[in-house]
Amino acid sequence: MDLKELAPNNTWLISAKEKESELLSLGVPKGRIFDSLKNAARWGLLPDGHEYAIYAFRKRNGEMTCIGCPMIGGLRKIALSSGKVSILNSNVIYPG
């Protein structure tokens, strides 16, 4: 399976390709990148840093890897597209 098979649309594919090349240049294995992109596609989120972000990091053994997680924009998109939520507000909480 490749990215074209995962992509729900061209915008998603372009965003995924940009993220893939960025992570490959950092030394992240292609399989880990593909897993993270597959999760973004499963949720129906763009891997653009606003809906879904993929972070590269070095493990304790020195190996590069990555992990993906939905961002606030993606969580809002999922909630609103579910049909169970019609209005969703969020605010920033500051300490002090």
Side-chain angles (χ1 to χ4, degrees):
M1 186 182 294
D2 65 354
L3 289 179
K4 286 185 182 179
E5 294 176 35
L6 285 179
N9 56 47
N10 285 339
T11 304
W12 191 95
L13 184 60
I14 291 167
S15 184
K17 280 296 209 183
E18 289 172 357
K19 194 52 150 172
E20 179 187 37
S21 63
E22 176 187 330
L23 292 168
L24 284 172
S25 71
L26 294 173
V28 178
K30 195 167 187 145
R32 289 297 302 145
I33 298 169
F34 188 76
D35 289 343
S36 294
L37 291 171
K38 190 166 51 173
N39 286 335
R42 187 177 303 129
W43 287 50
L45 301 176
L46 279 173
D48 61 357
H50 298 288
E51 291 184 6
Y52 192 85
I54 301 174
Y55 300 102
F57 63 95
R58 191 175 304 279
K59 292 182 176 180
R60 289 185 182 164
N61 65 4
E63 178 185 339
M64 286 298 290
T65 190
C66 65
I67 189 168
C69 63
M71 303 302 287
I72 187 68
L75 295 173
R76 288 176 57 91
K77 180 179 178 179
I78 291 167
L80 292 171
S81 67
S82 73
K84 297 180 180 183
V85 176
S86 59
I87 298 173
L88 182 64
N89 292 318
S90 58
N91 292 307
V92 178
I93 299 173
Y94 295 99

Coordinates of all heavy atoms in Angstrom, one line a residue:
M1 N 0.9 -1.2 0.0 CA 0.0 0.0 0.0 C 0.9 1.2 0.0 O 1.9 1.3 0.7 CB -0.9 0.0 1.2 CG -1.9 1.1 1.3 SD -2.9 1.2 2.7 CE -3.9 -0.3 2.6
D2 N 0.5 2.2 -0.8 CA 1.3 3.5 -0.8 C 0.4 4.7 -0.4 O -0.8 4.5 -0.1 CB 2.0 3.7 -2.1 CG 1.0 3.9 -3.2 OD1 -0.2 3.8 -3.0 OD2 1.4 4.2 -4.4
L3 N 0.9 5.9 -0.4 CA 0.2 7.0 0.1 C -1.0 7.3 -0.8 O -2.1 7.8 -0.3 CB 1.1 8.3 0.1 CG 2.1 8.3 1.2 CD1 3.0 9.5 1.1 CD2 1.5 8.2 2.6
K4 N -0.9 7.1 -2.1 CA -2.0 7.3 -3.0 C -3.3 6.5 -2.7 O -4.4 6.9 -2.8 CB -1.6 7.1 -4.5 CG -0.7 8.1 -5.0 CD -0.4 7.9 -6.5 CE 0.5 9.0 -7.0 NZ 0.9 8.8 -8.3
E5 N -3.1 5.3 -2.1 CA -4.2 4.4 -1.8 C -4.8 4.9 -0.5 O -6.0 4.7 -0.3 CB -3.7 3.0 -1.6 CG -3.2 2.4 -2.9 CD -2.7 1.0 -2.6 OE1 -3.2 0.3 -1.8 OE2 -1.7 0.6 -3.3
L6 N -4.1 5.6 0.4 CA -4.6 6.2 1.6 C -5.3 7.5 1.4 O -6.3 7.8 2.2 CB -3.5 6.4 2.6 CG -2.8 5.3 3.3 CD1 -1.7 5.8 4.2 CD2 -3.8 4.5 4.2
A7 N -4.9 8.2 0.5 CA -5.3 9.6 0.3 C -6.8 9.8 0.0 O -7.3 9.3 -1.0 CB -4.5 10.3 -0.7
P8 N -7.6 10.5 0.9 CA -9.0 10.8 0.6 C -9.1 11.8 -0.5 O -10.1 11.9 -1.2 CB -9.6 11.2 1.9 CG -8.4 11.6 2.7 CD -7.2 10.9 2.2
N9 N -8.1 12.7 -0.7 CA -8.1 13.7 -1.8 C -6.7 14.2 -2.0 O -5.8 13.8 -1.4 CB -9.0 14.9 -1.4 CG -8.6 15.5 0.0 OD1 -7.5 15.8 0.2 ND2 -9.6 15.7 0.8
N10 N -6.6 15.1 -3.0 CA -5.2 15.5 -3.4 C -4.6 16.4 -2.4 O -3.4 16.4 -2.2 CB -5.3 16.3 -4.8 CG -5.5 15.3 -6.0 OD1 -5.2 14.2 -5.9 ND2 -6.0 15.8 -7.0
T11 N -5.4 17.2 -1.7 CA -4.9 18.1 -0.6 C -4.2 17.2 0.4 O -3.1 17.6 0.9 CB -6.0 18.9 0.0 OG1 -6.6 19.7 -1.0 CG2 -5.4 19.9 1.0
W12 N -4.8 16.2 0.8 CA -4.3 15.3 1.8 C -3.0 14.7 1.3 O -2.0 14.6 2.0 CB -5.3 14.1 2.2 CG -4.9 13.3 3.3 CD1 -5.3 13.5 4.6 CD2 -3.9 12.2 3.4 NE1 -4.7 12.6 5.5 CE2 -3.9 11.8 4.7 CE3 -3.2 11.6 2.4 CZ2 -3.1 10.8 5.1 CZ3 -2.4 10.5 2.9 CH2 -2.3 10.1 4.2
L13 N -3.0 14.2 0.1 CA -1.8 13.6 -0.5 C -0.6 14.6 -0.6 O 0.5 14.2 -0.2 CB -2.1 13.1 -1.9 CG -1.0 12.3 -2.6 CD1 -0.6 11.1 -1.8 CD2 -1.4 11.9 -4.0
I14 N -0.8 15.8 -1.0 CA 0.2 16.8 -1.0 C 0.8 17.1 0.4 O 2.0 17.1 0.6 CB -0.3 18.1 -1.6 CG1 -0.6 17.9 -3.1 CG2 0.7 19.3 -1.4 CD1 -1.3 19.0 -3.8
S15 N -0.1 17.2 1.4 CA 0.3 17.5 2.7 C 1.1 16.3 3.3 O 2.2 16.4 3.9 CB -0.9 17.7 3.6 OG -0.5 18.0 4.9
A16 N 0.7 15.1 3.0 CA 1.4 13.8 3.4 C 2.7 13.7 2.8 O 3.7 13.3 3.4 CB 0.5 12.6 3.1
K17 N 2.9 14.0 1.5 CA 4.1 13.9 0.8 C 5.2 14.9 1.4 O 6.3 14.6 1.5 CB 4.0 14.2 -0.7 CG 3.5 13.0 -1.5 CD 4.4 11.9 -1.4 CE 4.4 11.0 -2.6 NZ 5.3 9.9 -2.5
E18 N 4.7 16.1 1.7 CA 5.6 17.1 2.3 C 6.1 16.7 3.6 O 7.3 16.8 4.0 CB 4.9 18.5 2.4 CG 4.6 19.2 1.1 CD 3.7 20.4 1.3 OE1 3.3 20.7 2.4 OE2 3.5 21.1 0.2
K19 N 5.2 16.1 4.4 CA 5.5 15.6 5.8 C 6.5 14.4 5.7 O 7.4 14.3 6.4 CB 4.3 15.3 6.6 CG 4.5 15.1 8.0 CD 5.2 16.3 8.6 CE 5.0 16.6 10.0 NZ 5.8 17.6 10.5
E20 N 6.2 13.5 4.7 CA 7.0 12.4 4.5 C 8.5 12.7 4.2 O 9.4 12.2 4.8 CB 6.4 11.5 3.4 CG 7.3 10.2 3.2 CD 6.8 9.4 2.0 OE1 6.3 10.1 1.0 OE2 6.9 8.2 2.0
S21 N 8.7 13.7 3.2 CA 10.0 14.1 2.9 C 10.7 14.7 4.0 O 11.9 14.5 4.2 CB 10.0 14.9 1.6 OG 9.3 16.1 1.8
E22 N 10.0 15.5 4.8 CA 10.6 16.2 5.9 C 11.1 15.2 7.0 O 12.2 15.3 7.5 CB 9.6 17.1 6.6 CG 10.1 17.8 7.8 CD 8.9 18.6 8.5 OE1 8.0 19.1 7.8 OE2 8.9 18.7 9.7
L23 N 10.3 14.2 7.3 CA 10.6 13.2 8.3 C 11.7 12.2 7.7 O 12.6 11.8 8.5 CB 9.4 12.4 8.7 CG 8.4 13.2 9.5 CD1 7.1 12.4 9.6 CD2 8.9 13.5 10.8
L24 N 11.7 11.9 6.4 CA 12.8 11.1 5.9 C 14.1 11.7 6.0 O 15.1 11.1 6.2 CB 12.5 10.7 4.4 CG 11.4 9.6 4.2 CD1 11.1 9.5 2.7 CD2 11.9 8.3 4.7
S25 N 14.1 13.1 5.8 CA 15.4 13.8 5.9 C 16.0 13.8 7.3 O 17.2 14.0 7.5 CB 15.2 15.2 5.4 OG 14.5 16.0 6.3
L26 N 15.1 13.6 8.3 CA 15.5 13.5 9.7 C 16.0 12.1 10.1 O 16.5 11.8 11.2 CB 14.4 13.9 10.6 CG 14.0 15.4 10.5 CD1 12.8 15.6 11.4 CD2 15.1 16.3 11.0
G27 N 15.8 11.1 9.2 CA 16.2 9.8 9.4 C 15.1 8.9 10.0 O 15.4 7.8 10.5
V28 N 13.9 9.3 10.0 CA 12.8 8.5 10.5 C 12.5 7.3 9.5 O 12.4 7.6 8.3 CB 11.5 9.3 10.7 CG1 10.4 8.5 11.2 CG2 11.8 10.4 11.7
P29 N 12.4 6.1 9.9 CA 12.1 5.0 9.0 C 10.8 5.2 8.3 O 9.8 5.6 8.9 CB 12.1 3.7 9.9 CG 12.7 4.1 11.2 CD 12.6 5.6 11.3
K30 N 10.8 4.8 7.0 CA 9.6 5.0 6.2 C 8.4 4.3 6.8 O 7.2 4.7 6.7 CB 9.9 4.5 4.8 CG 8.9 5.0 3.8 CD 9.3 4.8 2.4 CE 8.3 5.4 1.4 NZ 8.9 6.0 0.3
G31 N 8.5 3.1 7.4 CA 7.4 2.3 7.9 C 6.7 3.1 9.1 O 5.5 3.1 9.2
R32 N 7.5 3.8 9.9 CA 6.9 4.5 11.0 C 6.2 5.8 10.5 O 5.1 6.1 11.0 CB 8.0 5.0 12.0 CG 8.6 3.9 12.8 CD 7.6 3.2 13.7 NE 7.1 4.2 14.6 CZ 5.8 4.1 15.1 NH1 5.0 3.2 14.7 NH2 5.3 5.1 15.9
I33 N 6.7 6.4 9.4 CA 6.0 7.5 8.8 C 4.7 7.1 8.2 O 3.7 7.7 8.4 CB 6.9 8.2 7.7 CG1 8.2 8.7 8.3 CG2 6.2 9.3 7.0 CD1 9.2 9.1 7.3
F34 N 4.8 5.9 7.5 CA 3.5 5.4 6.9 C 2.5 5.1 7.9 O 1.3 5.4 7.7 CB 3.9 4.2 6.1 CG 2.7 3.7 5.2 CD1 2.4 4.4 4.1 CD2 2.0 2.6 5.6 CE1 1.3 3.9 3.3 CE2 1.0 2.1 4.9 CZ 0.6 2.8 3.7
D35 N 2.9 4.5 9.1 CA 1.9 4.2 10.1 C 1.3 5.5 10.7 O 0.0 5.5 10.9 CB 2.6 3.5 11.3 CG 3.0 2.0 10.9 OD1 2.5 1.5 9.9 OD2 3.9 1.5 11.7
S36 N 2.0 6.5 10.9 CA 1.5 7.8 11.4 C 0.5 8.4 10.3 O -0.5 8.9 10.7 CB 2.6 8.8 11.7 OG 3.4 8.3 12.8
L37 N 0.9 8.4 9.1 CA 0.0 8.9 8.0 C -1.2 8.1 7.9 O -2.3 8.6 7.6 CB 0.8 9.0 6.7 CG 1.9 10.0 6.6 CD1 2.7 9.8 5.4 CD2 1.4 11.4 6.7
K38 N -1.1 6.8 8.1 CA -2.3 5.9 8.0 C -3.3 6.2 9.1 O -4.5 6.2 8.9 CB -1.8 4.4 8.1 CG -2.9 3.4 7.8 CD -2.3 2.0 7.6 CE -1.4 1.6 8.7 NZ -1.0 0.2 8.6
N39 N -2.8 6.5 10.3 CA -3.6 6.9 11.4 C -4.4 8.3 11.1 O -5.5 8.4 11.4 CB -2.9 7.1 12.7 CG -2.5 5.7 13.3 OD1 -3.2 4.7 13.0 ND2 -1.4 5.7 14.0
A40 N -3.6 9.2 10.5 CA -4.3 10.5 10.1 C -5.4 10.2 9.1 O -6.5 10.8 9.2 CB -3.2 11.4 9.5
A41 N -5.1 9.4 8.1 CA -6.1 9.1 7.1 C -7.3 8.3 7.7 O -8.5 8.6 7.3 CB -5.5 8.2 6.0
R42 N -7.1 7.5 8.6 CA -8.1 6.7 9.3 C -9.1 7.7 10.0 O -10.3 7.5 10.1 CB -7.5 5.7 10.3 CG -8.6 4.8 10.9 CD -8.0 3.8 11.8 NE -6.9 3.0 11.1 CZ -5.7 2.8 11.6 NH1 -5.3 3.3 12.8 NH2 -4.9 2.0 10.9
W43 N -8.5 8.7 10.6 CA -9.3 9.7 11.3 C -9.9 10.8 10.4 O -10.8 11.6 10.8 CB -8.5 10.5 12.4 CG -8.1 9.7 13.6 CD1 -7.6 8.4 13.6 CD2 -8.2 10.1 14.9 NE1 -7.3 8.0 14.9 CE2 -7.8 9.0 15.7 CE3 -8.7 11.2 15.5 CZ2 -7.8 9.1 17.1 CZ3 -8.7 11.3 16.9 CH2 -8.2 10.2 17.7
G44 N -9.5 10.8 9.1 CA -9.9 11.7 8.2 C -9.4 13.1 8.4 O -10.0 14.1 8.0
L45 N -8.1 13.2 8.9 CA -7.5 14.5 9.2 C -6.3 14.7 8.3 O -5.6 13.8 7.9 CB -7.0 14.5 10.7 CG -8.1 14.2 11.7 CD1 -7.5 14.2 13.1 CD2 -9.2 15.3 11.6
L46 N -6.1 16.0 8.0 CA -4.9 16.4 7.2 C -3.7 16.4 8.1 O -3.7 16.9 9.2 CB -5.1 17.8 6.7 CG -5.9 18.0 5.4 CD1 -6.0 19.5 5.2 CD2 -5.2 17.4 4.2
P47 N -2.6 15.8 7.6 CA -1.3 15.8 8.4 C -0.6 17.1 8.2 O 0.6 17.1 7.8 CB -0.5 14.6 7.9 CG -1.0 14.5 6.5 CD -2.4 14.9 6.5
D48 N -1.2 18.2 8.5 CA -0.7 19.6 8.2 C -0.2 20.3 9.5 O 0.2 21.5 9.4 CB -1.7 20.4 7.5 CG -3.0 20.6 8.3 OD1 -3.1 20.1 9.4 OD2 -3.9 21.3 7.8
G49 N -0.3 19.7 10.6 CA 0.1 20.4 11.9 C -1.1 21.2 12.5 O -0.9 21.6 13.7
H50 N -2.2 21.3 11.8 CA -3.3 22.0 12.4 C -4.4 21.0 12.8 O -5.0 21.1 13.8 CB -3.9 23.0 11.4 CG -3.0 24.1 11.1 ND1 -2.6 25.1 12.0 CD2 -2.3 24.4 10.0 CE1 -1.8 25.9 11.4 NE2 -1.5 25.5 10.2
E51 N -4.6 20.0 11.9 CA -5.6 18.9 12.2 C -4.9 17.7 12.8 O -5.4 17.1 13.7 CB -6.3 18.5 10.9 CG -7.2 19.6 10.4 CD -8.0 19.1 9.2 OE1 -8.0 17.9 8.8 OE2 -8.7 19.9 8.6
Y52 N -3.7 17.4 12.3 CA -3.0 16.2 12.8 C -1.5 16.5 12.7 O -1.0 17.0 11.6 CB -3.3 15.0 11.9 CG -2.9 13.7 12.4 CD1 -3.6 13.0 13.4 CD2 -1.7 13.1 12.0 CE1 -3.2 11.7 13.9 CE2 -1.3 11.9 12.5 CZ -2.0 11.2 13.4 OH -1.6 10.0 13.9
A53 N -0.7 16.3 13.7 CA 0.7 16.6 13.7 C 1.5 15.3 13.9 O 1.1 14.4 14.6 CB 1.0 17.6 14.9
I54 N 2.6 15.3 13.2 CA 3.5 14.1 13.3 C 4.9 14.7 13.8 O 5.5 15.5 13.2 CB 3.7 13.4 12.0 CG1 2.3 12.9 11.5 CG2 4.7 12.2 12.1 CD1 2.4 12.3 10.1
Y55 N 5.3 14.1 15.0 CA 6.5 14.6 15.6 C 7.6 13.6 15.5 O 7.4 12.4 15.8 CB 6.2 14.9 17.1 CG 5.2 15.9 17.3 CD1 3.9 15.6 17.7 CD2 5.5 17.3 17.1 CE1 2.9 16.5 17.9 CE2 4.5 18.2 17.3 CZ 3.2 17.9 17.7 OH 2.3 18.8 17.9
A56 N 8.8 14.0 15.1 CA 9.9 13.1 15.1 C 10.7 13.2 16.4 O 10.8 14.3 16.9 CB 10.8 13.5 13.9
F57 N 11.2 12.1 16.9 CA 12.1 12.2 18.1 C 13.0 11.0 18.1 O 12.9 10.1 17.3 CB 11.2 12.2 19.3 CG 10.4 11.0 19.6 CD1 10.8 9.9 20.3 CD2 9.1 10.8 19.0 CE1 10.1 8.8 20.5 CE2 8.3 9.7 19.2 CZ 8.8 8.7 19.9
R58 N 14.0 11.1 18.9 CA 15.1 10.1 19.0 C 14.8 9.3 20.2 O 14.6 9.8 21.3 CB 16.4 10.7 19.1 CG 17.6 9.7 19.0 CD 18.9 10.4 18.9 NE 19.0 11.4 17.9 CZ 19.3 11.2 16.6 NH1 19.4 9.9 16.2 NH2 19.4 12.1 15.7
K59 N 14.7 7.9 20.1 CA 14.5 7.0 21.2 C 15.8 7.0 22.0 O 16.8 7.5 21.6 CB 14.2 5.6 20.7 CG 12.9 5.5 20.0 CD 12.7 4.0 19.6 CE 11.4 3.7 19.0 NZ 11.3 2.2 18.7
R60 N 15.7 6.4 23.2 CA 16.8 6.2 24.1 C 18.0 5.5 23.5 O 19.1 5.7 23.8 CB 16.4 5.6 25.4 CG 15.6 6.5 26.3 CD 15.3 5.9 27.6 NE 14.4 6.8 28.3 CZ 13.8 6.4 29.4 NH1 13.8 5.2 29.9 NH2 13.0 7.3 30.0
N61 N 17.6 4.5 22.6 CA 18.7 3.7 21.9 C 19.3 4.5 20.7 O 20.1 3.9 20.0 CB 18.1 2.4 21.5 CG 17.0 2.5 20.4 OD1 16.7 3.6 19.9 ND2 16.4 1.4 20.1
G62 N 18.9 5.7 20.5 CA 19.4 6.5 19.4 C 18.7 6.4 18.1 O 18.9 7.2 17.2
E63 N 17.7 5.5 18.0 CA 16.9 5.4 16.8 C 15.9 6.5 16.6 O 15.2 6.9 17.6 CB 16.2 4.0 16.8 CG 15.3 3.7 15.7 CD 14.6 2.4 15.9 OE1 15.0 1.6 16.7 OE2 13.6 2.2 15.2
M64 N 15.8 7.0 15.4 CA 14.8 8.0 15.1 C 13.4 7.3 14.9 O 13.3 6.3 14.3 CB 15.1 8.8 13.9 CG 16.3 9.8 14.1 SD 15.9 11.1 15.3 CE 14.7 12.1 14.5
T65 N 12.4 8.0 15.3 CA 11.0 7.5 15.1 C 10.1 8.7 15.1 O 10.5 9.8 15.2 CB 10.6 6.4 16.2 OG1 9.4 5.8 15.8 CG2 10.4 7.1 17.6
C66 N 8.8 8.4 14.9 CA 7.8 9.5 14.9 C 6.5 9.0 15.5 O 6.3 7.8 15.6 CB 7.6 10.1 13.5 SG 6.8 8.9 12.4
I67 N 5.7 10.0 15.9 CA 4.4 9.7 16.5 C 3.5 10.8 16.0 O 3.8 11.9 15.9 CB 4.4 9.6 18.0 CG1 3.1 9.1 18.6 CG2 4.8 11.0 18.6 CD1 3.2 8.7 20.1
G68 N 2.2 10.4 15.7 CA 1.2 11.3 15.3 C 0.1 11.5 16.3 O -0.1 10.6 17.1
C69 N -0.4 12.7 16.3 CA -1.5 13.0 17.3 C -2.4 14.0 16.7 O -2.0 14.9 16.0 CB -1.0 13.3 18.6 SG -0.1 14.9 18.7
P70 N -3.7 13.9 16.9 CA -4.7 14.9 16.5 C -4.5 16.2 17.2 O -4.2 16.2 18.4 CB -6.1 14.3 16.7 CG -5.8 13.2 17.7 CD -4.4 12.8 17.6
M71 N -4.6 17.3 16.6 CA -4.5 18.6 17.2 C -5.9 19.2 17.4 O -6.9 18.5 17.0 CB -3.7 19.6 16.2 CG -2.3 19.0 15.9 SD -1.3 18.7 17.3 CE -0.9 20.4 17.8
I72 N -6.0 20.3 18.0 CA -7.3 20.9 18.4 C -8.2 21.1 17.1 O -9.4 20.8 17.2 CB -7.2 22.2 19.2 CG1 -8.5 22.7 19.7 CG2 -6.5 23.3 18.4 CD1 -9.2 21.8 20.7
G73 N -7.6 21.5 16.0 CA -8.4 21.6 14.8 C -8.9 20.3 14.3 O -10.1 20.2 13.9
G74 N -8.2 19.2 14.5 CA -8.7 17.9 14.1 C -9.7 17.4 15.0 O -10.7 16.8 14.6
L75 N -9.6 17.6 16.3 CA -10.6 17.2 17.3 C -11.9 17.9 17.1 O -13.0 17.3 17.2 CB -10.1 17.4 18.7 CG -8.9 16.5 19.1 CD1 -8.3 16.9 20.5 CD2 -9.2 15.1 19.1
R76 N -11.8 19.2 16.7 CA -13.0 20.0 16.4 C -13.7 19.4 15.2 O -14.9 19.3 15.1 CB -12.6 21.5 16.2 CG -12.3 22.2 17.5 CD -11.8 23.6 17.2 NE -12.9 24.4 16.5 CZ -13.8 25.1 17.1 NH1 -13.8 25.2 18.4 NH2 -14.7 25.7 16.4
K77 N -12.9 19.1 14.2 CA -13.4 18.6 12.9 C -14.2 17.3 13.2 O -15.3 17.1 12.7 CB -12.3 18.4 11.9 CG -12.7 17.8 10.6 CD -11.5 17.7 9.7 CE -11.9 17.1 8.3 NZ -10.7 17.0 7.4
I78 N -13.5 16.4 13.9 CA -14.2 15.1 14.3 C -15.5 15.3 15.0 O -16.5 14.7 14.7 CB -13.2 14.2 15.0 CG1 -12.0 13.8 14.2 CG2 -13.9 13.0 15.6 CD1 -10.9 13.2 14.9
A79 N -15.4 16.1 16.0 CA -16.6 16.4 16.8 C -17.8 17.0 16.0 O -18.9 16.5 16.1 CB -16.3 17.3 18.0
L80 N -17.5 18.0 15.2 CA -18.5 18.6 14.4 C -19.0 17.8 13.3 O -20.2 17.8 13.0 CB -18.0 20.0 13.9 CG -17.7 21.0 15.0 CD1 -17.0 22.3 14.4 CD2 -19.0 21.5 15.6
S81 N -18.2 16.9 12.7 CA -18.6 16.1 11.6 C -19.4 14.8 12.1 O -20.0 14.1 11.3 CB -17.5 15.7 10.7 OG -16.6 14.8 11.5
S82 N -19.4 14.6 13.4 CA -20.1 13.5 14.0 C -21.6 13.6 13.9 O -22.3 12.6 14.0 CB -19.7 13.2 15.4 OG -20.2 14.2 16.3
G83 N -22.1 14.9 13.9 CA -23.5 15.1 13.9 C -24.1 15.2 15.3 O -25.2 15.5 15.5
K84 N -23.3 14.9 16.3 CA -23.8 14.9 17.7 C -23.5 16.2 18.4 O -24.0 16.5 19.4 CB -23.2 13.7 18.5 CG -23.6 12.4 17.9 CD -23.0 11.3 18.7 CE -23.4 9.9 18.1 NZ -22.9 8.8 18.9
V85 N -22.6 17.0 17.7 CA -22.2 18.3 18.3 C -22.5 19.4 17.3 O -22.2 19.2 16.1 CB -20.7 18.3 18.6 CG1 -20.3 19.7 19.1 CG2 -20.4 17.3 19.6
S86 N -23.2 20.4 17.7 CA -23.5 21.5 16.7 C -22.7 22.7 17.0 O -22.5 23.5 16.0 CB -25.0 21.8 16.7 OG -25.4 22.2 18.0
I87 N -22.3 23.0 18.2 CA -21.5 24.1 18.5 C -20.4 23.7 19.4 O -20.6 22.9 20.4 CB -22.3 25.2 19.3 CG1 -23.4 25.7 18.4 CG2 -21.4 26.4 19.7 CD1 -24.4 26.7 19.1
L88 N -19.2 24.2 19.2 CA -18.0 23.8 20.0 C -17.2 25.0 20.2 O -16.7 25.6 19.2 CB -17.2 22.7 19.3 CG -16.0 22.1 20.0 CD1 -16.4 21.4 21.3 CD2 -15.3 21.1 19.1
N89 N -17.0 25.4 21.4 CA -16.1 26.6 21.7 C -14.9 26.1 22.6 O -15.0 25.1 23.3 CB -16.9 27.6 22.6 CG -18.0 28.3 21.8 OD1 -17.8 28.6 20.6 ND2 -19.1 28.4 22.4
S90 N -13.8 26.8 22.4 CA -12.6 26.5 23.2 C -11.9 27.8 23.6 O -12.0 28.7 22.8 CB -11.7 25.5 22.5 OG -11.3 26.1 21.3
N91 N -11.3 27.8 24.7 CA -10.6 28.9 25.2 C -9.2 28.5 25.7 O -9.0 27.4 26.1 CB -11.3 29.7 26.3 CG -12.6 30.3 25.8 OD1 -12.5 31.1 24.8 ND2 -13.7 30.0 26.4
V92 N -8.3 29.4 25.7 CA -7.0 29.2 26.3 C -7.0 29.5 27.8 O -7.6 30.5 28.2 CB -5.9 30.0 25.6 CG1 -4.5 29.8 26.2 CG2 -5.9 29.8 24.1
I93 N -6.4 28.6 28.6 CA -6.3 28.8 30.0 C -4.9 29.2 30.3 O -3.9 28.5 30.0 CB -6.7 27.6 30.8 CG1 -8.2 27.2 30.5 CG2 -6.5 27.8 32.3 CD1 -8.6 25.9 31.1
Y94 N -4.7 30.3 31.0 CA -3.4 30.8 31.4 C -3.2 30.6 32.9 O -4.1 30.8 33.7 CB -3.3 32.3 31.1 CG -3.4 32.6 29.6 CD1 -4.5 33.1 29.0 CD2 -2.2 32.5 28.8 CE1 -4.6 33.4 27.7 CE2 -2.3 32.7 27.4 CZ -3.5 33.2 26.9 OH -3.5 33.5 25.5
P95 N -2.0 30.2 33.3 CA -1.7 30.1 34.7 C -1.7 31.4 35.4 O -1.4 32.5 34.8 CB -0.4 29.4 34.8 CG 0.3 29.7 33.5 CD -0.8 29.9 32.5
G96 N -2.0 31.4 36.7 CA -1.9 32.6 37.5 C -3.2 33.3 37.7 O -3.7 34.1 38.0

